[in-house]
Amino acid sequence: MDANGVGSEAETRKGGARRWSLRTAYALRQASRVAWFAAHGEVAQAITRRIVRRSSGEQPASARPAGSGPARETPDLLRLFGQIGALFRRDLANVEAGHYPLPDGEFGSPMAFLDLSRRFLADVPKVARRRLDGAHQEVFETDPDAARGLPRYYRQNFHFQTDGWLSAESARIYDFQVEVLFKGATAAMRRQALVPLSRIARRTDQRRLAYADIACGTGGLLAPALKAFPALKGTGVDLSQAYLDEAWRRLPVRSCRRACFVTAPAEALPFADASLDVLSTVYLFHELPPKIRRQAVAEFARVLKPGGQVIFADSLQSGDEPENDGLLELFPELFHEPYYRSYLEEDLDVIFAAHGLARIS
């Protein structure tokens, strides 16, 4: 075999070894995430059941007897884990295709991770008691000053969570709570929004790309976007100053100079007309009233440049995956989601088309 042949064979072996190493690292990380967050879910359910047994009040949806739940069948755990496995395979394929780097831990050091575990478990009884009582107006009723100036639809305890979205503690544990709910798959779901952003960034000078993430929360999409595209600058927009402060705290130093954060609602964006090339919004629309959804889309259309794009990620809707329809029915009962049912039947294409925005994919 000639030298070129030997070199080619060696490169092939190296490529195979790198691919095997990447896949192994990914599999170990995701398996440990699923085990960790699923275990927390089991503990949280056990705590909730104990509180329900001790209470003489009305049982919450999670403790109701069989037959009082959703009208449609819900997928069993085996099918749910199968869906999570399919998501992880797609996530890994995106890494191998170069859309974004291999994900690392978003919760900081092991000590920080354990501290979040402690905080999460300490909050579970509070959430369980609110669910039992149907309490979701604490933010509005007990601390009106903290929510002053915010839209009425926002001033409530979404998901029965402590302080709604209006405290540093809520911001600190929220992502951990959501990962427990989705058994460690939330970050991978959110990363799917990086794929269209990657395609845009590949054909554009990243330094000139005007990008904003609307309802950015603690930076769950903006932070990995800045990591994946090292010349990209981005603006995070959210109604919660506490969550924006947490987003800033979590940003790696190398990303801080390329990020800025603004407190504003999606229906009144702080950007000039035709000023953005791309904007993203993840898990926002199911938490907006129908009227506000339409106002938000009008704002998207206003701030986008001609040819600009919206990257939209949110919950499934009724009929998207029929086997999950029962879960979609159950979700707003278990987790205070006042606008979710209207979202399930919302024709998003019609809303966007009314403002000149057509689905690309």
Side-chain angles (χ1 to χ4, degrees), residues 96-344:
E96 293 182 331
H99 288 303
Y100 44 83
L102 187 70
D104 51 18
E106 71 270 32
F107 292 111
S109 68
M111 289 302 295
F113 205 29
L114 290 172
D115 180 62
L116 284 171
S117 171
R118 178 187 63 80
R119 291 172 183 270
F120 165 78
L121 293 173
D123 194 56
V124 167
K126 302 174 189 176
V127 174
R129 292 187 186 101
R130 282 190 203 93
R131 182 179 291 130
L132 192 65
D133 298 337
H136 52 75
Q137 293 294 314
E138 288 178 13
V139 168
F140 181 73
E141 294 169 349
T142 64
D143 195 1
D145 289 337
R148 194 177 301 280
L150 294 171
R152 178 64 186 89
Y153 70 81
Y154 193 75
R155 291 178 285 166
Q156 53 186 305
N157 298 65
F158 283 87
H159 321 131
F160 300 111
Q161 67 198 52
T162 304
D163 303 325
W165 282 310
L166 300 179
S167 74
E169 183 64 12
S170 169
R172 190 170 292 118
I173 66 174
Y174 175 70
D175 289 327
F176 196 99
Q177 291 171 317
V178 177
E179 287 291 0
V180 171
L181 175 62
F182 291 105
K183 305 189 189 307
T186 309
M189 289 191 285
R190 193 181 289 117
R191 279 194 296 272
Q192 305 314 298
L194 293 177
V195 176
L197 185 57
S198 170
R199 291 176 178 141
I200 294 168
R202 286 179 178 182
R203 62 175 185 264
T204 311
D205 183 347
Q206 292 179 23
R207 296 168 297 179
R208 300 180 182 276
L209 198 64
Y211 166 61
D213 185 37
I214 312 303
C216 69
T218 59
L221 179 64
L222 184 61
L226 296 177
K227 178 182 177 181
F229 314 115
L232 179 69
K233 295 179 181 178
T235 300
V237 179
D238 201 274
L239 263 173
S240 173
Q241 185 60 51
Y243 276 57
L244 293 180
D245 291 343
E246 181 68 14
W248 183 258
R249 188 185 71 81
R250 292 184 188 182
L251 267 186
V253 173
R254 61 184 178 277
S255 297
C256 287
R257 289 179 297 176
R258 295 183 287 119
C260 66
F261 296 96
V262 181
T263 308
E267 63 270 26
L269 294 175
F271 303 110
D273 294 358
S275 59
L276 296 180
D277 295 293
V278 58
L279 64 83
S280 56
T281 181
V282 180
Y283 303 142
L284 167 65
F285 270 46
H286 75 269
E287 300 195 337
L288 294 178
K291 178 182 176 181
I292 305 300
R293 285 181 206 131
R294 285 151 177 79
Q295 293 175 1
V297 173
E299 279 293 272
F300 294 174
R302 179 185 68 80
V303 303
L304 281 178
K305 296 177 183 178
Q309 293 185 28
V310 175
I311 299 171
F312 181 97
D314 212 305
S315 163
L316 292 171
Q317 293 181 291
S318 298
D320 286 343
E321 295 284 348
E323 68 178 32
N324 286 350
D325 280 355
L327 275 182
L328 301 185
E329 289 181 18
L330 191 60
F331 187 68
E333 293 185 35
L334 294 177
F335 309 96
H336 176 58
E337 288 281 7
Y339 313 114
Y340 190 78
R341 292 192 187 281
S342 69
Y343 168 82
L344 291 179

Side-chain angles (χ1 to χ4, degrees), residues 19-43:
R19 187 162 53 250
W20 182 88
S21 177
L22 184 148
R23 290 180 176 180
T24 300
Y26 181 89
L28 289 173
R29 178 177 293 277
Q30 300 308 322
S32 62
R33 280 179 70 93
V34 169
W36 174 263
F37 288 112
H40 278 73
E42 291 299 316
V43 173

Side-chain angles (χ1 to χ4, degrees), residues 74-97:
T74 59
D76 58 26
L77 273 179
L78 208 58
R79 290 163 73 186
L80 284 175
F81 280 119
Q83 293 175 11
I84 291 173
L87 167 69
F88 287 161
R89 288 191 293 274
R90 186 163 68 249
D91 192 37
L92 178 58
N94 292 336
V95 172
E96 293 182 331

